[in-house]
Amino acid sequence: MKNTETTPAPADTAMPLAGIRVVDLTSAVVGPYCTQVLADYGAEVIKLEEKSGDVIRWISGRSRTPGMSGKFMHMNRNKRSISLDLKQSAGRDALLKLVDTADVFLHNMRNAAVGRLGLDADTLRARRANLVYCGIAGFGSDGRYAGRPAYDSILQGGTALASLLAGADGEPRYVPYVVIDRTAGLMVAHAVLAALFARERDGRGRVIEVPMFESYAGLLLSEHLYGHSFQPPTDRLGDRRLLDANARPVRTRDGHVCITTNTDDQVRKLFLSLGRPDLAADARFATSLSRIEHIAEFFAVRAELLAQRGTDEIVELLLKHDVPCMPCHTLESLLADPHLGDVGLVQTDRHPTQGTIRQIRPAIRMTGFDPAVRLPAPHIGEHTATVLAELGYAPGQIADLFRGGAAYTAPDAPSPPAHA
């Protein structure tokens, strides 16, 4: 997927996306998570920030130095940061020079703001026809919600996810994880990869819009449209196996265990493991369709059988019969999970300014792909001078941009190499 119009910055040619340059004008979670995926695969991601920096630097807990929160670092490894004031012509000109060298341009600004800055798809692709241009929006541009602001919590409510999580009191609840942002970030990543693959075939760029509301609504409805998939409906809305009040981790004598038995064979093995093979012949539980009709009773019987046993004992019994199960972790016990230790998901590393940190490595395995962290998460504008020099700016010009406020580097960022 190497860009044939420019010579990209040096990259590890063994990486799947080596030679692909991404200009990342996104903030918070959805965009930065997408570009983290691309960066982990070897793309050269240049993160553009205002002087104030990405908001996630500041709203995600304490850090050792300002603006370097844990969540920011976990989504911005393997990237360089450049800080420009796009309201100044000199700052915008520098960005346009950078775009002239890019394969991909991403933003999660509203279209009106992008247009005011002259960074809309038509303008940028007039300069660079094979550019993959991607806008991440809360709502699709064809609908009446176009242009509205949106965050993960707004969309959790708007897609009915929060209502599906209503507790015994009937009050909607948010998932304590920015699930829509993260899911949409993966959707953006695969759309960008598809556009780059198509460009390899025909040499043409693409314009992509990923609307978060519709994207997640489609996922949720594919799960819960259920009987209303047919007209007239054959059943209610909502998968009752997932919505029953007892569709949750099951209490044991000393904790909770998670069990899933989708097939008739798994249910037989569950009852056999727990010393009640007779229940497998119960007409209510013998087949998938009958269990759906009696799901509350099935969950109640399961809970009764498990309540008097310890979690470790249950897991051992069920795994002997190949019944899918696992202890219900807390955050603390998850970090101590022995399998995660075996595969080295969380590793200790040294950051140039943050000292010893925990680094979460990519879990995907691919031949010829080393998922090592190549660059630590950057400070605001840490690489501004270096990138400007790569674009052909002379030292005096770079100094003028800094002096006039069109370019910026955080005071606590490491000094750039002398040659920059």
Side-chain angles (χ1 to χ4, degrees):
M1 297 182 187
K2 184 175 178 180
N3 186 337
T4 58
E5 295 187 7
T6 62
T7 301
D12 181 351
T13 55
M15 301 295 283
L17 293 183
I20 295 297
R21 173 172 277 188
V22 178
V23 175
D24 177 11
L25 187 56
T26 69
S27 61
V29 174
V30 56
Y33 181 51
C34 162
T35 54
Q36 175 213 291
V37 172
L38 300 178
D40 285 346
Y41 283 129
E44 182 201 6
V45 175
I46 299 177
K47 181 180 180 68
L48 178 65
E49 301 185 75
E50 298 179 307
K51 183 177 180 179
S52 58
D54 188 336
V55 64
I56 213 71
R57 290 179 178 273
W58 310 104
I59 63 171
S60 300
R62 297 178 179 178
S63 54
R64 288 175 177 157
T65 61
M68 295 296 286
S69 70
K71 188 179 289 188
F72 173 83
M73 291 198 296
H74 294 314
M75 289 191 295
N76 290 279
R77 61 178 179 241
N78 292 330
K79 303 178 187 178
R80 297 194 289 172
S81 172
I82 179 172
S83 181
L84 300 170
D85 183 352
L86 300 182
K87 294 179 181 178
Q88 292 194 40
S89 59
R92 181 176 175 275
D93 288 345
L95 173 59
L96 292 176
K97 287 186 178 183
L98 181 58
V99 170
D100 288 344
T101 71
D103 299 279
V104 180
F105 177 85
L106 289 98
H107 74 83
N108 62 347
M109 301 169 66
R110 285 184 264 182
N111 287 337
V114 172
R116 286 194 298 270
L117 291 170
L119 300 176
D120 55 280
D122 289 343
T123 298
L124 296 191
R125 294 187 72 235
R127 300 175 63 97
R128 188 159 180 76
N130 73 341
L131 182 69
V132 172
Y133 182 103
C134 183
I136 309 168
F139 307 92
S141 57
D142 292 336
R144 66 188 63 193
Y145 301 160
R148 287 188 184 183
Y151 285 102
D152 187 271
S153 55
I154 305 302
L155 298 176
Q156 284 200 36
T159 60
L161 178 60
S163 293
L164 294 181
L165 292 165
D169 56 4
E171 290 296 312
R173 285 170 167 75
Y174 295 134
V175 177
Y177 165 75
V178 286
V179 61
I180 294 182
D181 273 7
R182 298 277 186 168
T183 304
L186 293 175
M187 292 179 172
V188 177
H190 77 59
V192 168
L193 291 172
L196 287 171
F197 185 74
R199 193 183 72 168
E200 286 298 296
R201 291 175 165 176
D202 60 23
R204 298 198 304 267
R206 299 291 192 280
V207 178
I208 303 168
E209 178 185 77
V210 181
M212 298 169 66
F213 176 57
E214 296 96 303
S215 296
Y216 202 83
L219 286 179
L220 188 137
L221 287 172
S222 70
E223 195 79 56
H224 288 292
L225 197 54
Y226 212 57
H228 281 241
S229 301
F230 306 94
Q231 294 298 307
T234 61
D235 205 338
R236 65 181 213 180
L237 282 165
D239 186 334
R240 66 190 67 186
R241 297 173 308 127
L242 304 178
L243 296 177
D244 189 89
N246 289 308
R248 58 187 177 188
V250 187
R251 183 176 293 280
T252 66
R253 188 179 63 230
D254 55 3
H256 291 83
V257 67
C258 302
I259 303 171
T260 295
T261 48
N262 285 331
T263 69
D264 297 344
D265 184 56
Q266 287 169 341
V267 172
R268 285 193 293 271
K269 289 178 178 178
L270 170 70
F271 289 138
L272 176 63
S273 301
L274 299 177
R276 290 297 306 275
D278 56 298
L279 288 171
D282 190 310
R284 295 171 299 168
F285 312 138
T287 68
S288 298
L289 286 177
S290 61
R291 284 193 300 278
I292 291 173
E293 297 298 329
H294 299 279
I295 195 66
E297 297 158 84
F298 174 71
F299 284 149
V301 168
R302 187 182 68 172
E304 183 179 351
L305 292 174
L306 296 174
Q308 302 307 313
R309 298 176 185 265
T311 301
D312 291 344
E313 177 192 1
I314 292 168
V315 170
E316 183 177 0
L317 285 171
L318 297 188
L319 289 182
K320 281 182 179 178
H321 290 86
D322 204 29
V323 176
C325 64
M326 197 169 190
C328 182
H329 274 312
T330 64
L331 287 173
E332 290 76 13
S333 65
L334 176 62
L335 278 173
D337 184 281
H339 177 85
L340 296 186
D342 294 340
V343 301
L345 180 72
V346 182
Q347 299 179 342
T348 300
D349 202 358
R350 291 286 299 178
H351 188 281
T353 62
Q354 303 307 299
T356 302
I357 63 170
R358 279 175 165 154
Q359 194 81 259
I360 305 168
R361 72 193 297 271
I364 292 172
R365 297 289 183 270
M366 183 189 304
T367 55
F369 168 50
D370 178 5
V373 175
R374 307 182 310 281
L375 289 171
H379 288 261
I380 302 169
E382 180 176 331
H383 306 96
T384 302
T386 303
V387 172
L388 290 173
E390 291 171 1
L391 295 174
Y393 282 85
Q397 293 175 303
I398 296 173
D400 288 342
L401 288 172
F402 280 109
R403 192 177 301 112
Y408 175 77
T409 294
D412 48 0
S415 299
H419 66 270

